[in-house]
Amino acid sequence: MTDTSMSSPAHSTSKGTGANLSKIALRWGLYLILGLFALYYLMPLFVMLTTSLKSLEEIRTGSLMALPREVTFDAWATAWSGACTGIQCEGLRPYFWNSVLIAIPAVALSTLLGALNGYVIAHWKFKGANLIFSLMLFGCFIPFQVVLLPMARVLGLMGLAGSIPGLIFVHVIYGLGFTTLFFRNYYVTIPAELTKAAKVDGASFLRIFRSIFLPLSLPIIVVTVIWQFTQIWNDFLFGVSFSQAGTQPITVALNNIVNSTTGVKEYNVDMAAAIIAGLPTLFVYVVAGKYFIRGLTAGSVKG
Amino acid sequence: MSDWLENHLPKVVLAPSFIAILIFVYGFIGWTAWVSFTRSKLLPRYELKGTVQYEKLFASPRWDTAMDNLFIFGTLFIVIAMVLGLMLAIFLDQEVRTEGVIRTIYLYPMALSMIVTGTAWKWILNPGLGLEAMIKGWGFESFTFDWLVNPDYAIYTVVIAGVWQSSGFVMALFLAGLRSVDGEIIKAAQVDGIPTWRIYTAIIIPSMAPIFLSAFIVLAHLAIKSFDLVIALTGGGPGYATDLPATYMYAMAFSRGDIGQAASSAMIMMGVVFTIVVPYLYSELRAKND
């Protein structure tokens, strides 16, 4: 705020220190509000963390926001390897690995296909390419409820019902629209002359992709990988619809732990489990926040 | 042969994705649309029977609640997230020294799964041990905050958690918008002695109309697709007080075994999304091709 309210110098000297004081007060007010909102956004994370470190006894007798009197990691151990999701009591660990097994191939495949598609649509225009792009783009916005029923049947016909390859397949298919969009929007900024010159020199379609486009693609690959990873790791709808006992992703397991009706409610275990489920995407956000935000905004403000 | 391949390689590369989208997006929409006009129950049947499913849907009190909830949740979620996002963006745009840190804090909920968000807020809002108990513990014995378990107010807890999750993202959108406003115009206005708040309301905010539209589209889209947040936070309850179209569809498809109802409710959801998104996408694509 290089000041706007008192831009004429003559004006400000005549008012003197009174104006200066109100300026300082405004600044403090601004920081106070920003700080309060920071607390608001941090509060649930703080509550999750402190609750996960308390014993059940302390949770029942203490206050929501209080720091743990005695720090215990029992809840974390239970959440990781002992909490019950229905009848099984193996904690989140197997489901964490399910999510990893789903996310890695699905992210890799959808990113690779998106890069090739974007390359074709941006630099090898043929009749109908724009229509294809539009159709793919519209596909990003459908509510997935509209494909759940037929997809369940088709996965059954393909012999992939309730399996991890089935979930990988689903995530690749419905991630294609966005990954193609990301790469297409990035590749249109690369001059067409470059492709033309390479063609004149006799370079092939794949050669140009490998030697010219791929080396330039690191930033958009990072954006796409982060976007896809966050989407797939956090997915619940496909996970709950197309998995069965043993192949569920972590979000489904977390929900089962929290909402399992048997036994005593272990809030500390619930909170530890929620943090474990959120850690991978939080880690990505903290490490590569810039690319994360770019992906988010690329999905909405295009071009 | 190799010439033919080289000439057609671009098409060959794009073809699998295109065919996949045709089948798994458009074909599937067609299938769901078809089934929504049949008497399918536990298994799909393909003889068309007119609009029976839609009539049943609109006569169902549970669907009624779901649509009312979508309206309440959608409106409040969009309006509050936009107002909060714009306000925070303007505050952060005042050359705040710690901007990077604050932005990171405001935006991190967007990295979390809705299931994690729902789990956290379910714990915070539970009347027995959460916020209510805490404030009672401070000596305000008569304080009650039982929205989570109160059928009349439970839907507002979904708004609370949804706004917490998404408002930081709206802030980031608006902040990017504020930064893209032409600095010369603002400087000129400052030289003319126009007060800051007037510069914002008369110059900066009106020039951000496209960002408002983008934010609206993204938030509306999130609201209509909201499923996991409700499942984790309230499970659709108490009763079905916080049912949304997405949870209704899921219940019909996977626990009630009523494929006809599931298909027709999914088609209504798609109708709502498309009336909002299609005009926007159409104008975006046209602007780009011109």
Side-chain angles (χ1 to χ4, degrees), chain A residues 1 4 7 27 31 34 41 45 51 63 65 117 135 141 146 153 174 205 234 259 271 281 285 293 300, chain B residues 6 17 24 26 32 44 94-95 97 104 106-108 111 113 122-123 134 164 167 190 196 218 221 280:
Chain A
M1 189 136 87
T4 49
S7 44
R27 275 270 96 177
Y31 278 101
L34 288 174
Y41 285 110
L45 192 62
T51 305
S63 157
M65 304 268 186
N117 293 342
L135 284 173
F141 287 91
V146 88
R153 298 186 71 75
Y174 297 109
F205 171 81
N234 289 343
N259 291 317
M271 290 305 118
T281 47
Y285 172 66
I293 295 166
S300 49
Chain B
E6 180 60 30
S17 301
F24 294 105
Y26 296 95
T32 305
Q94 309 304 321
E95 285 170 23
R97 224 171 301 149
T104 306
Y106 287 2
L107 201 66
Y108 85 88
S113 149
K122 184 186 183 148
W123 162 237
M134 184 180 82
W164 177 80
S167 48
Q190 286 171 352
T196 312
V218 173
H221 194 239
Y280 167 75

Side-chain angles (χ1 to χ4, degrees), chain A residues 132-149:
Chain A
I132 291 179
F133 179 56
S134 307
L135 284 173
M136 292 183 93
L137 196 55
F138 278 107
C140 297
F141 287 91
I142 58 162
F144 290 132
Q145 278 75 14
V146 88
V147 299
L148 281 188
L149 292 167

Side-chain angles (χ1 to χ4, degrees), chain B residues 84-167:
Chain B
L84 202 61
L86 180 64
M87 191 185 85
L88 292 175
I90 291 175
F91 285 163
L92 258 189
D93 196 32
Q94 309 304 321
E95 285 170 23
V96 172
R97 224 171 301 149
T98 47
E99 186 194 310
V101 179
I102 295 179
R103 226 177 31 204
T104 306
I105 292 172
Y106 287 2
L107 201 66
Y108 85 88
M110 202 65 193
L112 295 175
S113 149
M114 287 282 188
I115 297 289
V116 173
T117 300
T119 303
W121 282 97
K122 184 186 183 148
W123 162 237
I124 294 167
L125 296 174
N126 97 75
L129 292 165
L131 265 183
E132 184 189 278
M134 184 180 82
I135 293 175
K136 273 190 175 151
W138 291 346
F140 302 95
E141 287 301 334
S142 60
F143 179 83
T144 49
F145 187 57
D146 62 350
W147 287 8
L148 193 64
V149 293
N150 183 330
D152 293 331
Y153 290 97
I155 189 68
Y156 300 105
T157 62
V158 186
V159 177
I160 293 175
V163 166
W164 177 80
Q165 167 112 11
S166 307
S167 48

Side-chain angles (χ1 to χ4, degrees), chain B residues 236-260:
Chain B
Y240 49 76
T242 51
D243 242 353
L244 285 177
T247 56
Y248 179 93
M249 186 276 163
Y250 186 82
M252 290 300 148
F254 295 100
S255 39
R256 291 287 193 87
D258 193 338
I259 288 181

Side-chain angles (χ1 to χ4, degrees), chain A residues 146 149, chain B residues 29-41 43-58 258-268 270:
Chain A
V146 88
L149 292 167
Chain B
I29 293 173
W31 189 94
T32 305
W34 183 284
V35 166
S36 76
F37 291 107
T38 68
R39 284 192 189 277
S40 302
K41 198 73 183 168
L43 291 169
R45 289 192 278 171
Y46 298 103
E47 318 86 73
L48 292 176
K49 287 284 186 274
T51 55
V52 276
Q53 295 296 349
Y54 292 94
E55 283 156 31
K56 195 171 151 200
L57 191 66
F58 294 133
D258 193 338
I259 288 181
Q261 280 296 287
S264 58
S265 54
M267 290 311 292
I268 301 282
M270 203 181 75

Side-chain angles (χ1 to χ4, degrees), chain A residues 262-278:
Chain A
T262 47
V264 189
K265 271 235 107 335
E266 296 181 288
Y267 297 106
N268 47 2
V269 174
D270 292 354
M271 290 305 118
I275 298 175
I276 292 172

